[in-house]
Amino acid sequence: MSQPIPGQVQLRPQVERSRPDFVMITIIASLTALGLLMILSTSGPRLEAEGAARASEMVRQSTFVVLGAVVFLVATILSDRQWRLLTPWVYAGTLFLLVLVLIIGELIQGAARWIPLGVVNLQPSEVAKPAVILILAALLAGAVKVKWLRILQAFALVGVPAVLIFLQPDLGTMLVFGFVAVVMLFVAGTDVRQIVILGLLALAALIFSIEANVLQEYQVKRLTGFLNPGEQTLEINYNQNQSQIAIAGGSMFGQGLFEGTQTNLAFVPAQTTDFIFTAVAEQLGFVGAATVIGLYAVLVFRLLVISSAARDRFGQLFAAGMAAMIAFHVFVNIGMTIGLLPVTGLPLPFLSFGGSFYISTLFGLGVAHSIWVHRSRVPLGAVPSRTV
Amino acid sequence: MNLGWRLFSIGVLVASLFGVLLLRLWFLQVTDIEASLVVAFEQRVRVVEIEAPRGDIFDRDGKELLAGTSATLRVVVDRRLVEEDQEEFLVRNLSALLTIPASEIRRTFEEKGEGARFPLGDQISQSTGISVLENIEDFPGVAIEPVPFRVYPLAETASHIVGYIGSPDAEDLKREEIEENDRVGKFGLESEYDSDLRGTPGRITFRVNAEGEILGVLEEIPPQPGGSLITTIDMDAQRFLEETLVSGVQLARLTEDEGVFRAAAVVLDATDGSIVAMASVPAFDPSIFSDGRLSQEDWGKLSEKAVFNNFAIQGLFPPGSSFKVIVNALARQYRISPALEAEYRDTVDQEADPTAFFSDGELLFPETPPLNDWKDGGHGLVDLSESLAQSVNTYYWSIALEIWNERNLLNDTGVVWPEELLQDFARDLGFGDRTEIDLPFEQPGLVPDREWFELNQRNLTGLVREEGSWTGGDLMNIATGQGALTVTPLQMAVAYAALVNGGTVWEPRIVESVRDGENNLVFRNLPSVANKIDFRPGVVEDLKDDLNGVVNSETGTAKTAFEGFCEADVPDDECAALQEVGGKTGTAEIFQADDPDAEVDTAWFVGAAPLSEPKWVVAVVIDRGGSGGRVAAPTARRIFQYLMGETPDAVRPGDESER
């Protein structure tokens, strides 16, 4: 390492730069812990009633947590550069899994989404989320100015997994792709005019797909059901109404841990998965719910900071993409439980029961963390000459 | 537009999205929107109660069923699912299906109210149910469901014990678990043990849409069946008692052209206060109440006949001479000699026998008509034992007179008798208050005394004379079971049981135990002692001899009635069983103002057996039955024959001598 030269920008040693993002890790750890607690509180009574061990679902989720931690660690150890090189392989592997799930996936509730791996089921659409962010980051990193051609390429790369996922079918994940792609294009430098045109195209596509019966009836119902909360014929609305009643019951400080009547009495369906936030809001009240949302906000903020601190455009774009993905999941999932948004089946990061999404989220955050520990010494945008 | 700005915009976007979430959560959790959501929820679910099967009522062995519940297939109408313009169509179709007049169905619809869910009509067959389901478009809002239905396999047998169920009244509705459409016990054990029998209803919570259509089941709580009662009733004895009592009534009816005969009989276990059998005439069939379709008119007719009264505990009768046994025991206990009229003080030697008395047929008092023995010319020289056998009125009046004369004084026996010596003794034996048997509507009866007399005189109730004070004459009335003294047959049985069993006044019981749906013991109704009387040695033994004298001595008033107690070819003096039976006849004179000659006397017989080791006490009362010796004693004899293992013969008239 050279001695600092006066008047020149000082290069710090690698060791100093590798200081981990403790804020991010703390947030992940606390949300994960809360998730385990909520899974215990909502699945415990039901499992007991079924004669199973009270904590069995929580224990199962704990194994995913351990796996996720390992994945996070490995993702951090490999540098962002190495991840950029691995990106095509990750992408190809994801496409392979998505095709595989269509072939051998077992039918669960009218949707083939799982690859059974003996003790666990792998959900390739969850794996596809960080993979798509990786490939978009790699693609868009190559150009300073985003031309329409680049946009078309981006949509092609997102489109292939999106179509495969649509065939499963999984509407929510497609929406994640769309949102993440738009955010990443924006960060990559598309101008406002392009964004507006893209937005109009997306709207047209949605209307077309509804009108042309591309979407299944239940998907349309899901999307439009929340607009008529009084319409009770929908199972979907029932779920949401129950969820809202439970959340309303939480009041300011909640009914107390393990005390939620609505969630404990299993009025709220999918309590441990899509509607886990209901349990948080019922048991811990507005204070607890707001704290959880605040933690997500800080996490998104950290990812945006990583994006701005990244040493290259790949890092910038990837971190921004992860921020978009986390933010979208949180907004759509919580919005669904409080009756603000349609039911789309997007899980809540760290809290929802399920291995695939937890591990793939931790993988994405691991890569983002790698970007952080391998970041440049000065914020990238501040030094125009360093722009790639 | 540099990177920092773009990231900043994304941050602002995310912050505002999260802000929207927080705002919505605030409205949901902190403001009062919660309340409106709960209301909305209640409109979205439909809770249907599932009736719990009512518990069974068994006899003492737990074998014979007195009351049970069976699930019957029935038509259930859910008016919420019937459109208004379809209601008439439905009513007509139901009328044809169930062969119930349409007007009646319409009335039921109205009674149950809009949006109610209720069973309609009687049990339907499987095939009728299927045909309804096949043509369900003709029966909108109709379901075929198994509905618990109360059954009384024994019909009129033991009906006053079992009781019946009915719609809740205002008082019932005060109980938290009772709702408007429930059925509650109204009488008998059904009423007394209602909370044990009724169980806990189940509940199905349906999810419904705005039209009330059921979309799915949210929650299903199965009903908890009610507990079963094991009674102390011996069904064979019960049947025999009822049959015999009806024969007794028939016997009384021979001299009567018409009129409602009320009668009651009790068989009490003197060793523990258990009711072995209890009958009341006229009886009814509890199943007429099972589905609540007994019309007001029919109920009125039955009620007029007093079928819904258990006269064994609700009937208040003057006990007549059967009360002399109580006075007899009192006289022995306190060594009370009958007061002698002046003319006999020299001829009757009370030094030799303190109980000696000369009955010349009448007692004379200034300014009152003479008081007569029932036997013209009197019974002659009698002692305490003979006074009971022959039921000598003047003897017991003289006992009362003696108490009255010697009241509050230190008398020959060295004790001070309070004025209410007789009343206190009667109350100790359970008279004048409820026995607290586990049946509803029990009457306390009345043991009159000075306090009661003065209270009624002051308040001009018409129950007592307007002038004058409580006198020895009032006490004399009590001594012969007349006047204002009223008792229930059960009280008589309890008192006699205490006299023969050595002083234990039982709190009678009819339920032995309550068991839950899985036959686990919930509650055991142990025998309970209400009072204990310490008799002087010999009192009980002597009394038993006297009781036997009534049925088994030449002069006994029930001698004729109990003749041939054993098999026809066994003479009475060789009949061992007859030596073990004792009792007392009673004929309470009831004067009817409009027809002084009409025979409206209440016939009594109360007795116990076997006397050496008293087990059964039998009390029989036949209202308007006439002479106790002629009607009630033969009825009781047949019951004793049954209880003692003798061959019961027909109820035939006994001696009518006693008045």
Side-chain angles (χ1 to χ4, degrees):
Chain A
M1 286 290 132
S2 58
Q3 286 295 309
I5 302 160
Q8 293 242 325
V9 177
Q10 187 183 333
L11 290 169
R12 279 177 298 178
Q14 190 75 31
V15 192
E16 273 183 51
R17 278 199 263 146
S18 64
R19 189 178 143 80
D21 186 347
F22 286 115
V23 175
M24 183 205 262
I25 291 168
T26 306
I27 289 174
I28 295 173
S30 30
L31 286 173
T32 299
L34 180 68
L36 292 176
L37 208 55
M38 287 299 129
I39 288 167
L40 178 65
S41 78
T42 49
S43 66
R46 174 172 52 82
L47 290 168
E48 247 179 7
E50 287 167 2
R54 188 177 162 78
S56 57
E57 267 196 22
M58 189 194 74
V59 169
R60 194 173 159 83
Q61 181 71 7
S62 304
T63 60
F64 298 140
V65 170
V66 172
L67 272 172
V70 171
V71 167
F72 182 85
L73 209 61
V74 170
T76 303
I77 289 166
L78 293 183
S79 79
D80 50 346
R81 297 271 155 78
Q82 284 166 308
W83 278 119
R84 188 174 178 176
L85 293 174
L86 284 171
T87 294
W89 298 101
V90 173
Y91 183 71
T94 301
L95 289 188
F96 171 74
L97 290 176
L98 285 171
V99 173
L100 193 65
V101 77
L102 286 180
I103 299 167
I104 65 164
E106 58 184 0
L107 275 165
I108 295 172
Q109 291 173 350
R113 295 172 181 172
W114 313 89
I115 295 174
L117 297 177
V119 286
V120 289
N121 293 327
L122 181 67
Q123 203 174 352
S125 62
E126 302 297 2
V127 177
K129 286 168 187 169
V132 162
I133 299 173
L134 274 177
I135 197 79
L136 279 178
L139 173 79
L140 297 174
V144 181
K145 184 146 178 65
V146 182
K147 298 256 170 57
W148 279 108
L149 179 67
R150 201 47 75 115
I151 294 174
L152 281 179
Q153 284 175 332
F155 273 97
L157 285 175
V158 177
V160 176
V163 167
L164 289 172
I165 287 167
F166 182 76
L167 292 174
Q168 287 185 3
D170 183 343
L171 197 62
T173 303
M174 279 184 62
L175 294 173
V176 174
F177 287 173
F179 183 78
V180 166
V182 169
V183 167
M184 288 178 76
L185 283 169
F186 178 69
V187 173
T190 48
D191 55 37
V192 176
R193 191 168 48 98
Q194 284 171 316
I195 294 286
V196 169
I197 291 171
L198 281 176
L200 289 175
L201 281 174
L203 196 65
L206 194 66
I207 291 170
F208 170 79
S209 54
I210 291 173
E211 289 298 312
N213 292 327
V214 176
L215 290 174
Q216 305 268 346
E217 197 187 350
Y218 82 92
Q219 290 173 318
V220 178
K221 276 186 176 173
R222 277 186 167 193
L223 289 177
T224 57
F226 82 106
L227 298 173
N228 322 302
E231 179 62 54
Q232 285 303 309
T233 46
L234 287 177
E235 187 77 25
I236 306 303
N237 274 353
Y238 170 70
N239 293 356
Q240 272 188 313
N241 289 328
Q242 292 301 319
S243 168
Q244 285 179 65
I245 290 161
I247 289 172
S251 296
M252 184 58 108
F253 299 104
Q255 302 198 356
L257 206 53
F258 301 109
E259 293 296 323
T261 51
Q262 290 270 324
T263 42
N264 277 341
L265 289 176
F267 275 114
V268 180
Q271 308 157 73
T272 55
T273 55
D274 292 354
F275 282 89
I276 189 85
F277 186 76
T278 309
V280 177
E282 189 187 24
Q283 295 181 30
L284 304 179
F286 177 77
V287 172
T291 307
V292 167
I293 292 175
L295 288 175
Y296 283 118
V298 174
L299 180 65
V300 170
F301 171 73
R302 285 308 304 170
L303 285 166
L304 293 178
V305 168
I306 291 172
S307 175
S308 70
R311 61 177 165 181
D312 57 18
R313 267 176 70 83
F314 174 78
Q316 284 171 4
L317 288 163
F318 184 84
M322 278 307 292
M325 189 197 96
I326 299 283
F328 191 75
H329 270 91
V330 170
F331 179 67
V332 172
N333 178 284
I334 295 181
M336 166 184 79
T337 61
I338 60 183
L340 209 57
L341 289 174
V343 176
T344 41
L346 285 183
L348 190 60
F350 315 115
L351 264 68
S352 287
F353 178 79
S356 301
F357 181 60
Y358 186 84
I359 293 167
S360 64
T361 304
L362 278 203
F363 166 71
L365 291 174
V367 174
H369 194 233
S370 168
I371 293 164
W372 172 255
V373 297
H374 298 100
R375 70 185 180 276
S376 59
R377 57 191 167 76
V378 288
L380 218 152
V383 188
S385 62
R386 290 221 25 158
T387 318
V388 181
Chain B
M1 207 156 47
N2 65 29
L3 178 72
W5 189 90
R6 284 174 190 262
L7 291 177
F8 178 72
S9 341
I10 292 170
V12 169
L13 173 71
V14 170
S16 48
L17 289 180
F18 282 16
V20 170
L21 293 182
L22 287 175
L23 210 62
R24 170 78 180 158
L25 273 172
W26 176 267
F27 276 118
L28 210 51
Q29 298 194 283
V30 183
T31 63
D32 58 359
I33 220 164
E34 169 193 353
S36 60
L37 267 169
V38 170
V39 170
F41 172 72
E42 278 166 1
Q43 288 165 349
R44 276 182 255 123
V45 297
R46 177 82 197 281
V47 179
V48 171
E49 283 226 330
I50 319 163
E51 220 178 297
R54 215 174 155 79
D56 299 331
I57 301 176
F58 291 101
D59 69 343
R60 63 166 50 192
D61 303 318
K63 281 187 195 135
E64 191 143 10
L65 188 69
L66 281 68
T69 295
S70 76
T72 57
L73 221 47
R74 311 185 95 186
V75 165
V76 175
V77 179
D78 195 336
R79 272 188 81 186
R80 273 211 225 179
L81 305 184
V82 191
E83 310 228 336
E84 218 166 293
D85 53 351
Q86 284 202 303
E87 213 149 84
E88 194 47 43
F89 168 72
L90 175 64
V91 167
R92 269 187 276 115
N93 288 347
L94 284 174
S95 170
L97 179 82
L98 302 169
T99 61
I100 302 175
S103 58
E104 202 171 297
I105 295 178
R106 252 178 244 123
R107 201 170 56 225
T108 311
F109 270 48
E110 254 165 55
E111 272 169 22
K112 300 288 177 182
E114 252 170 64
R117 195 173 192 281
F118 51 90
L120 189 74
D122 290 325
Q123 175 174 14
I124 56 168
S125 67
Q126 196 84 28
S127 59
T128 310
I130 289 168
S131 81
V132 169
L133 295 178
E134 280 172 348
N135 304 299
I136 197 71
E137 65 280 1
D138 293 336
F139 299 97
V142 164
I144 305 299
E145 286 178 10
V147 175
F149 187 78
R150 198 68 168 149
V151 288
Y152 300 96
L154 306 181
E156 295 198 346
T157 307
S159 56
H160 291 102
I161 297 168
V162 174
Y164 55 83
I165 55 174
S167 299
D169 57 24
E171 199 59 36
D172 296 321
L173 287 171
K174 282 184 193 156
R175 285 164 61 194
E176 205 171 308
E177 71 274 22
I178 309 288
E179 285 177 26
E180 197 84 42
N181 283 330
D182 284 353
R183 322 271 298 139
V184 298
K186 304 297 283 182
F187 186 64
L189 293 174
E190 292 276 32
S191 165
E192 187 78 11
Y193 287 89
D194 188 66
S195 37
D196 293 297
L197 287 165
R198 64 184 308 107
T200 315
R203 209 173 57 209
I204 305 183
T205 309
F206 291 107
R207 199 151 43 75
V208 295
N209 63 14
E211 284 77 48
E213 279 171 57
I214 289 168
L215 302 174
V217 176
L218 269 182
E219 197 189 22
E220 193 168 352
I221 302 169
Q224 300 276 312
S228 295
L229 308 183
I230 309 294
T231 62
T232 57
I233 301 296
D234 176 335
M235 273 318 294
D236 293 331
Q238 175 71 25
R239 264 187 270 264
F240 190 87
L241 182 71
E242 290 184 18
E243 177 198 315
T244 307
L245 186 61
V246 168
S247 305
V249 170
Q250 304 278 329
L251 186 65
R253 207 181 273 272
L254 285 178
T255 57
E256 284 282 318
D257 299 330
E258 52 170 38
V260 180
F261 276 74
R262 302 168 178 193
V266 176
V267 179
L268 182 78
D269 187 332
T271 64
D272 65 358
S274 298
I275 303 291
V276 178
M278 179 188 270
S280 181
V281 171
F284 65 98
D285 179 353
S287 53
I288 55 176
F289 294 98
S290 288
D291 56 359
R293 291 197 301 123
L294 182 70
S295 73
Q296 199 64 38
E297 198 183 330
D298 290 343
W299 192 87
K301 272 186 207 158
L302 286 168
S303 185
E304 213 166 276
K305 286 197 231 160
V307 301
F308 303 129
N309 291 308
N310 182 356
F311 290 112
I313 59 167
Q314 290 174 268
L316 289 178
F317 307 96
S321 304
S322 59
F323 197 73
K324 286 174 184 159
V325 173
I326 283 86
V327 184
N328 181 297
L330 178 77
R332 285 194 196 284
Q333 175 78 346
Y334 292 96
R335 299 193 182 93
I336 306 170
S337 304
L340 292 174
E341 281 181 287
E343 50 189 300
Y344 298 112
R345 280 189 194 136
D346 299 329
T347 46
V348 176
D349 184 6
Q350 286 198 336
E351 295 290 326
D353 178 3
T355 74
F357 179 79
F358 191 86
S359 155
D360 64 1
E362 56 183 21
L363 281 183
L364 295 171
F365 292 96
E367 293 166 39
T368 21
L371 296 171
N372 297 316
D373 267 319
W374 59 270
K375 189 172 175 184
D376 287 339
H379 303 268
L381 188 64
V382 291
D383 62 3
L384 185 53
S385 299
E386 201 54 39
S387 76
L388 195 73
Q390 300 189 33
S391 196
V392 180
N393 287 344
T394 46
Y395 190 97
Y396 289 89
W397 285 325
S398 301
I399 294 275
L401 206 54
E402 177 75 4
I403 296 171
W404 183 259
N405 291 338
E406 299 286 323
R407 68 188 190 278
N408 302 330
L409 301 171
L410 188 64
N411 59 53
D412 301 342
T413 55
V415 223
V416 177
W417 296 330
E419 180 186 311
E420 296 186 355
L421 183 72
L422 173 55
Q423 289 99 321
D424 288 345
F425 186 66
R427 290 193 188 103
D428 284 348
L429 285 166
F431 293 105
D433 201 359
R434 294 181 180 86
T435 66
E436 300 302 337
I437 187 176
D438 41 353
L439 283 175
F441 308 121
E442 190 191 3
Q443 291 293 320
L446 176 70
V447 178
D449 56 15
R450 186 189 288 276
E451 194 189 337
W452 168 85
F453 180 90
E454 287 172 355
L455 184 74
N456 279 279
Q457 197 174 52
R458 227 179 6 259
N459 295 332
L460 300 172
T461 57
L463 293 175
V464 299
R465 56 188 178 277
E466 285 171 29
E467 297 295 325
S469 57
W470 176 257
T471 67
D474 294 303
L475 190 67
M476 289 160 69
N477 250 339
I478 298 175
T480 52
Q482 299 282 353
L485 177 70
T486 52
V487 303
T488 67
L490 181 63
Q491 281 176 337
M492 287 304 279
V494 169
Y496 270 57
L499 294 177
V500 297
N501 72 13
T504 305
V505 182
W506 291 105
E507 184 181 306
R509 57 173 192 154
I510 203 154
V511 165
E512 193 271 332
S513 60
V514 180
R515 284 163 191 281
D516 68 12
E518 277 93 48
N519 204 31
N520 300 313
L521 192 67
V522 175
F523 163 69
R524 188 180 283 280
N525 194 14
L526 291 169
S528 164
V529 176
N531 196 12
K532 183 91 181 123
I533 298 170
D534 285 325
F535 284 112
R536 285 197 305 111
V539 169
V540 170
E541 293 314 311
D542 291 346
L543 178 69
K544 285 190 208 170
D545 287 345
D546 291 1
L547 288 171
N548 183 247
V550 175
V551 303
N552 196 28
S553 73
E554 283 312 314
T555 50
T557 52
K559 169 72 182 162
T560 319
F562 276 78
E563 255 166 23
F565 191 79
C566 290
E567 300 284 339
D569 50 353
V570 180
D572 283 347
D573 51 0
E574 286 171 30
C575 172
L578 189 58
Q579 317 308 316
E580 288 288 345
V581 180
K584 180 71 188 82
T585 55
T587 308
E589 294 177 28
I590 313 249
F591 298 103
Q592 275 197 339
D594 52 346
D595 185 3
D597 297 327
E599 185 170 315
V600 289
D601 297 349
T602 300
W604 280 92
F605 188 89
V606 189
L611 287 172
S612 54
E613 208 175 315
K615 172 76 175 163
W616 294 291
V617 171
V618 176
V620 174
V621 64
I622 298 174
D623 189 27
R624 306 180 63 184
S627 158
R630 197 188 81 81
V631 173
T635 308
R637 180 205 54 178
R638 187 158 187 266
I639 297 161
F640 278 118
Q641 280 178 325
Y642 171 85
L643 294 170
M644 304 281 287
E646 298 297 325
T647 315
D649 47 18
V651 176
R652 48 171 172 68
D655 201 340
E656 202 172 348
S657 53
E658 195 214 344
R659 294 291 310 149

